[in-house]
Amino acid sequence: MKHRIVVLGAGYAGAFAAGNLARRLSPSDIEITVVNAVPDFVERMRLHQLAIGQDLAFRKLADVFEGTGVRLRLARVTGVDPGRRTVAVTGEDGEGELVYDTLLYALGSSVADHGVPGVAEYAFDVTGRSSALRLRERLAGLGAGAAVLVVGEGLTGIETATEFAESRPDLSVALAARGELGAWLSPKARRHLRHAFDRLGITVHEHTGIEAVEPTRAIAADGASIAADVTVWSAGFAVHPIAAAGGLEVAETGQIVVDRTMRSVSHPDVYAAGDCAYAIGENGRPLPMSCASAGFTNMQATAAIIARLTARDVPTIGLKYYGNHISLGRRDAIFQMVDTDVRSKSWYLGGKAAARLKSGVLKGAGWGIAHPTFGMPKRKRRLATVPDRAGARAGARAAA
């Protein structure tokens, strides 16, 4: 029987990893199944553009994996059982169960409401296509002068606020920041950011934590009321509790705790990549949830899976965070380099050149997903051994 590899999630981490595995391992020995809830690859880094009304082309995952040998299962993951090596799913075909020998968990993250009252009921977000389309519909119905409040001063909040203000100058856009806007940027980059906000007419409420969201306003920690016909929540990300519920060892964040090779420290048949992996970078700190981290972790996970299945030494991929690339609308951006301690360096790139660079990064990431096996070595490696599944399952039951 073939070794069954199941990849959960076809985002930036999962889609490329599946293609890499298909390119490197012999189809005579393996079968690869990708489970994803929607039929398209969703460019999460562009969802704020989708929300404000820009038209984006979505790639069909069936086309992405055509000719690679990768099987696509359109379904939502409802549970994992690492003891039995199974994944529970539900989709158009009803409920089902997939059995795996190796699992790559890459389900990503969603919006974190931090328990703030009213966020789930009244706030919008841009962490998924369905939520971005819901926000798009709401924004399209707003008239001139309507108030839009973006909560969160991170990359998503900044990109969302500037994109909205540039695309819809008739709206009154504001951003609520717990601290100082761009405090983590270098002084010159921070000034560039503030000039962009001034140019776009965005109101900034600094040192303003939002403690509640209501249909037409947000309530700050000091009791102040901020008018908002629409509140967009971008104050962090959270992972789904599926991994923790299945018994995998997770961090306080709910992310799967992995070793240097992205292998679960509690279940050696499970690997994690992307936002759901609690991976320690070269600086000794957890990698941030980001597209860059998804790239590093998926390359390390696939390299480790291939090496272990083919009885080779496991290579190590660099886990270093290099910087932040922030869009400020379509014609402006900031590229801020950071040092090994993730502190901003004095140098930064801003303006149209940075915007062109960011556009190139986005196009490159999208092209890479559309061609998941491009540039990979063509040699198909055979597995070193064929797993004894019956014995492995019996051992797992005995250990339990």
Side-chain angles (χ1 to χ4, degrees), residues 14 16 33 40 67 92 201 214 219 307 336 343 345 382 393:
F16 191 80
T33 301
D40 305 320
E92 293 182 354
E214 298 180 358
I219 308 300
Q336 175 69 72
R343 293 177 301 194
K345 295 183 178 181
R382 299 298 302 269
R393 284 194 291 270

Side-chain angles (χ1 to χ4, degrees), residues 37-95:
V38 297
D40 305 320
F41 169 68
V42 177
E43 291 187 80
R44 186 169 181 175
M45 292 189 293
R46 291 185 183 270
L47 288 179
H48 55 291
Q49 296 176 243
L50 178 67
I52 198 59
Q54 297 174 26
D55 293 326
L56 304 180
F58 291 97
R59 296 175 175 84
K60 294 291 183 184
L61 289 171
D63 296 336
V64 167
F65 294 124
E66 185 178 5
T68 66
V70 174
R71 301 177 180 181
L72 176 63
R73 176 72 178 268
L74 294 178
R76 181 171 57 87
V77 178
T78 58
V80 295
D81 187 340
R84 296 176 54 240
R85 294 182 182 174
T86 60
V87 177
V89 299
T90 182
E92 293 182 354
D93 299 330
E95 296 182 353

Side-chain angles (χ1 to χ4, degrees), residues 29-391:
D29 297 336
I30 64 162
E31 60 181 38
I32 301 170
T33 301
V34 174
V35 182
N36 203 61
V38 297
D40 305 320
F41 169 68
V42 177
E43 291 187 80
R44 186 169 181 175
M45 292 189 293
R46 291 185 183 270
L47 288 179
H48 55 291
Q49 296 176 243
L50 178 67
I52 198 59
Q54 297 174 26
D55 293 326
L56 304 180
F58 291 97
R59 296 175 175 84
K60 294 291 183 184
L61 289 171
D63 296 336
V64 167
F65 294 124
E66 185 178 5
T68 66
V70 174
R71 301 177 180 181
L72 176 63
R73 176 72 178 268
L74 294 178
R76 181 171 57 87
V77 178
T78 58
V80 295
D81 187 340
R84 296 176 54 240
R85 294 182 182 174
T86 60
V87 177
V89 299
T90 182
E92 293 182 354
D93 299 330
E95 296 182 353
E97 189 175 78
L98 297 174
V99 181
Y100 66 83
D101 298 299
T102 297
L103 179 70
L104 177 55
Y105 190 109
L107 288 178
S109 62
S110 58
V111 66
D113 61 20
H114 303 297
V116 175
V119 172
E121 296 83 0
Y122 306 119
F124 296 78
D125 67 82
V126 291
T127 59
R129 185 172 68 169
S130 60
S131 59
L133 289 173
R134 174 173 166 262
L135 175 56
R136 179 187 178 113
E137 182 178 3
R138 177 72 176 104
L139 293 173
L142 294 179
V148 176
L149 174 66
V150 179
V151 180
E153 70 273 27
L155 303 184
T156 302
I158 290 173
E159 292 196 336
T160 299
T162 52
E163 194 77 47
F164 286 12
E166 181 181 87
S167 297
R168 289 285 305 273
D170 60 311
L171 298 176
S172 176
V173 179
L175 183 141
R178 281 192 171 273
E180 179 186 350
L181 179 67
W184 38 275
L185 294 170
S186 64
K188 291 182 179 179
R190 195 179 312 140
R191 286 196 293 271
H192 186 111
L193 177 63
R194 287 188 174 276
H195 289 157
F197 268 59
D198 291 342
R199 171 174 54 82
L200 294 169
I202 302 170
T203 301
V204 181
H205 302 279
E206 293 184 312
H207 307 289
T208 303
I210 300 301
E211 298 295 326
V213 176
E214 298 180 358
T216 58
R217 65 174 184 169
I219 308 300
D222 62 1
S225 174
I226 303 175
D229 296 294
V230 172
T231 297
V232 183
W233 194 263
S234 58
F237 302 102
V239 299
H240 199 284
I242 287 176
L248 290 160
E249 183 172 337
V250 299
E252 291 183 1
T253 58
Q255 295 167 290
I256 297 172
V257 179
V258 295
D259 63 15
R260 182 59 178 78
T261 68
M262 301 304 121
R263 195 181 204 177
S264 165
V265 298
S266 62
H267 294 81
D269 302 313
V270 178
Y271 293 77
D275 287 356
C276 56
Y278 188 79
I280 304 301
E282 295 177 6
N283 59 4
R285 301 178 182 178
L287 290 176
M289 294 185 185
S290 68
C291 182
S293 297
F296 300 145
T297 55
N298 97 67
M299 287 189 290
Q300 180 61 79
T302 52
I305 292 170
I306 292 165
R308 290 191 173 112
L309 290 181
T310 58
R312 288 172 168 80
D313 292 335
V314 178
T316 55
I317 308 299
L319 300 177
K320 182 179 179 182
Y321 198 71
Y322 292 95
N324 297 309
H325 207 158
I326 316 163
S327 294
L328 305 174
R330 296 298 86 212
R331 297 180 292 276
D332 194 5
I334 291 173
F335 181 61
Q336 175 69 72
M337 295 290 290
V338 300
D339 61 20
T340 55
D341 292 321
V342 200
R343 293 177 301 194
S344 295
K345 295 183 178 181
S346 59
W347 181 88
Y348 89 102
L349 180 67
K352 293 181 179 180
R356 287 194 294 269
L357 179 58
K358 179 63 180 284
S359 177
V361 169
L362 292 174
K363 290 179 181 178
W367 192 93
I369 294 298
H371 304 80
T373 62
F374 179 80
M376 296 294 126
K378 295 182 179 180
R379 182 181 177 184
K380 300 283 189 178
R381 298 190 181 278
R382 299 298 302 269
L383 269 61
T385 58
V386 177
D388 179 1
R389 295 197 182 98

